[in-house]
Amino acid sequence: VNFFDNAEAYAHGKSETLMGNIFKKLKWERDTYIVSSKVFWGGGFPTQKGLSKKHIHDACNAALMRLNVDYLDLFFCHRSDPETPISESVYAMNDLLQQGKIMYWGTSEWSAKEINEAFLCAKKYNLRGPTMEQPQYNILCRDRFENEYKDIFKKHKIGTTIWSPLASGLLTGKYNDGIPKHSRFKVKGYEWLSQSMDSIDFNKIIKINKISKKLNIKPSQLAILWCLKNQNVSTVILGASKLSQLKENLDSINYFNLITDDIIVEINNC
């Protein structure tokens, strides 16, 4: 593991502060790991949100302080901002590139149309366009990644740091019989997860769990490997809440060769 993902919105910045304290304690050489942040939701004041030049610069400087680093390897626009011209955001990111505060910039959950516009702007003004996109991608959520972004991947060759490979735990099978009281689905701020439950095909999840059992691996490992098998996936972001879950997820890589093309087809046909 050498990539650590964060954002100004996570725990109102406290997540980055915690991560920065750990970096400081470990004293790793800066060229041995990659750290990212994301800008959009910084606070309650009008100047603390969105993708204006001011907020992009302020958010980057604040993230550097919280994370105890001199620069960010990756800096994402956490969402698109309809109130700010994309050209302004592209210029702001290029300012940060020239200042050496970020190495690369990208988008997260932008539409293909918006990503294309960013590239057109960069080409027109001789600027650096986005290098990566951070979308949700898993066996249950595939349309945007595989269809909407199809031409984006082909034309611009951007990388992806996908999130929610386990569909917020649904693909592990632990919610097949209902939602436990202390699940993240019940946590304040995650209401959107509960709202998505009505559209979940649990029969499909059960079939996928059976495939993992046949391969003698955990359902979580199968779900992660399915993502990694996609050539347009650069890295899979893990969000384990327990050490045992993290170890199980990381162990997935040892079973990479078990996921053949035939297994992929079987999963896709569930």
Side-chain angles (χ1 to χ4, degrees):
V1 177
N2 67 347
F3 168 45
F4 301 90
D5 178 73
N6 224 307
E8 64 173 355
Y10 299 162
H12 306 290
K14 293 180 181 179
S15 177
E16 291 188 334
T17 299
L18 177 61
M19 185 174 283
N21 289 338
I22 294 171
F23 287 149
K24 187 175 182 179
K25 181 178 180 180
L26 293 175
K27 297 180 180 179
W28 288 340
E29 294 182 5
R30 186 62 183 89
D31 60 355
T32 63
Y33 65 95
I34 296 168
V35 62
S36 72
S37 184
K38 295 185 282 293
V39 52
F40 193 90
W41 295 288
F45 290 96
T47 53
Q48 293 179 316
K49 61 186 72 172
L51 298 179
S52 67
K53 180 175 180 177
K54 174 174 174 56
H55 183 51
I56 286 177
H57 278 253
D58 289 344
C60 179
N61 291 329
L64 294 175
M65 291 182 63
R66 288 192 294 263
L67 289 164
N68 279 309
V69 293
D70 295 324
Y71 66 91
L72 300 171
D73 297 278
L74 312 177
F75 196 33
F76 294 86
C77 295
H78 209 161
R79 290 296 186 275
S80 60
D81 182 0
E83 297 184 1
T84 301
I86 288 178
S87 59
E88 179 176 337
S89 303
V90 174
Y91 263 108
M93 286 296 186
N94 276 260
D95 287 344
L96 296 175
L97 286 167
Q98 291 180 342
Q99 293 168 10
K101 293 181 179 179
I102 65 174
M103 296 293 105
Y104 307 93
W105 78 275
T107 58
S108 180
E109 294 295 342
W110 279 32
S111 69
K113 181 180 179 180
E114 291 163 337
I115 295 172
N116 261 321
E117 185 175 340
F119 274 105
L120 287 172
C121 174
K123 183 177 181 180
K124 181 177 180 180
Y125 299 108
N126 196 28
L127 302 171
R128 286 272 299 277
T131 305
M132 63 281 178
E133 157 67 28
Q134 185 169 120
Q136 178 178 191
Y137 184 55
N138 54 62
I139 296 173
L140 303 178
C141 180
R142 303 170 53 181
D143 185 63
R144 165 166 277 186
F145 193 95
E146 297 180 2
N147 297 317
E148 183 181 343
Y149 289 163
K150 185 177 181 179
D151 291 337
I152 292 291
F153 293 137
K154 185 177 181 180
K155 183 177 180 180
H156 301 299
K157 312 295 183 185
I158 64 172
T160 61
T161 60
I162 68 157
W163 59 276
S164 197
L166 305 183
S168 300
L170 287 169
L171 287 168
T172 66
K174 63 183 180 181
Y175 298 130
N176 288 358
D177 297 322
I179 307 300
K181 184 177 181 180
H182 298 293
S183 161
R184 72 170 68 182
F185 285 81
K186 303 291 187 179
V187 175
K188 184 179 180 181
Y190 283 82
E191 291 85 0
W192 60 275
L193 286 175
S194 298
Q195 294 169 0
S196 68
M197 289 295 289
D198 293 338
S199 61
I200 300 301
D201 184 353
F202 283 95
N203 287 327
K204 182 172 185 175
I205 295 175
I206 291 171
K207 291 178 182 177
I208 293 169
N209 290 171
K210 288 180 179 178
I211 296 174
S212 68
K213 189 174 183 179
K214 178 178 67 175
L215 295 172
N216 198 29
I217 61 177
K218 300 292 185 180
S220 60
Q221 295 170 333
L222 178 63
I224 291 169
L225 292 171
W226 178 89
C227 293
L228 284 172
K229 279 289 183 174
N230 189 308
Q231 64 178 357
N232 292 315
V233 171
S234 304
T235 189
V236 172
I237 295 175
L238 304 176
S241 56
K242 298 178 181 178
L243 181 59
S244 58
Q245 293 173 342
L246 178 61
K247 290 180 177 179
E248 181 180 289
N249 291 348
L250 293 176
D251 198 39
S252 302
I253 199 66
N254 293 319
Y255 306 109
F256 188 78
N257 292 331
L258 286 179
I259 313 303
T260 63
D261 290 344
D262 289 339
I263 293 296
I264 294 294
V265 171
E266 187 177 355
I267 292 171
N268 292 346
N269 288 335
C270 283

